[in-house]
Amino acid sequence: MPAAKDKRKGKNKGKEKDKKKAVKAEDQVIERAKANASLWEARLEVTELSRIEYRDTSRRLAKNNEDLKKQQYKLEKDTMSVLSYLKKQDQEKDNLIGKLKQKLVETKEKAKEEKEKLEQKYTAQINELEGQFHQKAKEIGMIQTELKTIKQFQKRKIQVEKELDELKENLRNSEKKHQETLRRLESRFFEEKAIEHCWKKCF
């Protein structure tokens, strides 16, 4: 009987060991399950956070996309406005260039006409001045001739005055001589009269 008890004991011990092993294995499985559960919870949390972050990012991206679409629309609208404005400005510039070209042509024509008029005017003035110059030159020539004549006349005048002075001097001398001759003749006449008178009285 004791052997049967030992056998039972041995069996019980073996069962207990197996039980312990099974418990230990269960504990390990539970630990592993807990660890797995914690891991999956952590993964779930991370996934949830990622989902929330992804949703927020998606919303932000959608909003950004909408803003970008609005900006793009506004930019396209502004671009169209700018292009329209630039086209309008180009058209205005083309019109202005056309007007300026036309004005330039008209101004050139006007300048040409004015130039021709001025040329005619100044040609007439130059011809008139040349005529006046020739007339003045002729007058100066005549004046120079007259001056020459005057100079010759002055020389001749001096010579004539000199000759006249000489004639006057000769005339004075002749007058003196004549007076003296006359006095002598008168004196002789009176003397002869006196002698004649005396003769008549005496005889």
Side-chain angles (χ1 to χ4, degrees):
M1 284 299 277
K5 270 186 183 179
D6 286 337
K7 267 188 182 178
R8 256 189 245 147
K9 257 186 185 178
K11 275 186 181 179
N12 284 337
K13 273 184 184 176
K15 281 182 181 177
E16 278 176 27
K17 272 185 184 179
D18 287 340
K19 232 182 194 178
K20 280 181 182 177
K21 277 182 182 177
V23 168
K24 200 174 180 181
E26 274 179 28
D27 287 343
Q28 283 177 350
V29 169
I30 289 166
E31 286 296 321
R32 244 186 243 139
K34 280 182 181 177
N36 278 338
S38 296
L39 181 68
W40 280 107
E41 277 178 17
R43 280 182 180 173
L44 185 66
E45 280 178 20
V46 167
T47 305
E48 186 64 26
L49 287 170
S50 292
R51 189 182 68 80
I52 290 164
E53 193 179 341
Y54 177 74
R55 188 183 62 204
D56 290 342
T57 305
S58 295
R59 282 178 184 166
R60 196 164 56 249
L61 284 170
K63 191 175 182 304
N64 285 343
N65 196 23
E66 191 64 33
D67 290 343
L68 284 169
K69 278 182 180 176
K70 283 178 183 176
Q71 280 180 8
Q72 186 183 1
Y73 175 73
K74 190 176 180 298
L75 189 65
E76 283 174 358
K77 196 176 176 184
D78 290 346
T79 305
M80 291 299 289
S81 297
V82 168
L83 284 171
S84 176
Y85 175 75
L86 288 172
K87 277 183 183 176
K88 192 180 175 184
Q89 270 200 334
D90 282 344
Q91 189 61 44
E92 285 174 2
K93 280 178 185 175
D94 288 341
N95 293 340
L96 184 63
I97 287 164
K99 283 178 185 175
L100 288 170
K101 279 182 179 175
Q102 184 62 33
K103 199 171 182 182
L104 184 66
V105 169
E106 288 170 5
T107 306
K108 278 183 178 176
E109 285 293 323
K110 198 174 178 183
K112 192 180 175 185
E113 286 173 12
E114 284 180 5
K115 185 187 170 189
E116 285 172 0
K117 282 180 185 176
L118 285 170
E119 278 177 359
Q120 288 173 1
K121 182 185 173 184
Y122 287 119
T123 303
Q125 280 186 358
I126 287 163
N127 290 336
E128 190 182 338
L129 288 168
E130 279 179 353
Q132 287 177 4
F133 171 76
H134 289 310
Q135 184 64 33
K136 296 288 179 191
K138 200 184 278 184
E139 286 174 10
I140 287 164
M142 286 169 71
I143 290 164
Q144 282 175 342
T145 306
E146 284 173 10
L147 279 170
K148 206 182 241 184
T149 307
I150 288 165
K151 280 179 183 175
Q152 286 173 353
F153 173 76
Q154 282 175 342
K155 282 180 185 176
R156 182 72 187 137
K157 185 186 169 193
I158 291 164
Q159 194 178 348
V160 167
E161 281 176 350
K162 196 176 177 184
E163 287 174 3
L164 193 63
D165 287 341
E166 285 174 0
L167 281 170
K168 280 180 181 176
E169 187 65 33
N170 289 336
L171 190 64
R172 271 196 295 271
N173 290 335
S174 295
E175 187 71 26
K176 276 181 187 178
K177 282 179 183 177
H178 177 70
Q179 288 294 330
E180 282 176 16
T181 306
L182 196 63
R183 267 198 307 276
R184 275 199 308 271
L185 286 169
E186 279 178 358
S187 174
R188 191 183 289 170
F189 176 75
F190 285 125
E191 280 176 8
E192 284 177 358
K193 278 269 186 193
I195 290 167
E196 192 183 323
H197 187 68
C198 192
W199 274 97
K200 277 183 181 180
K201 274 189 178 181
C202 288
F203 297 104

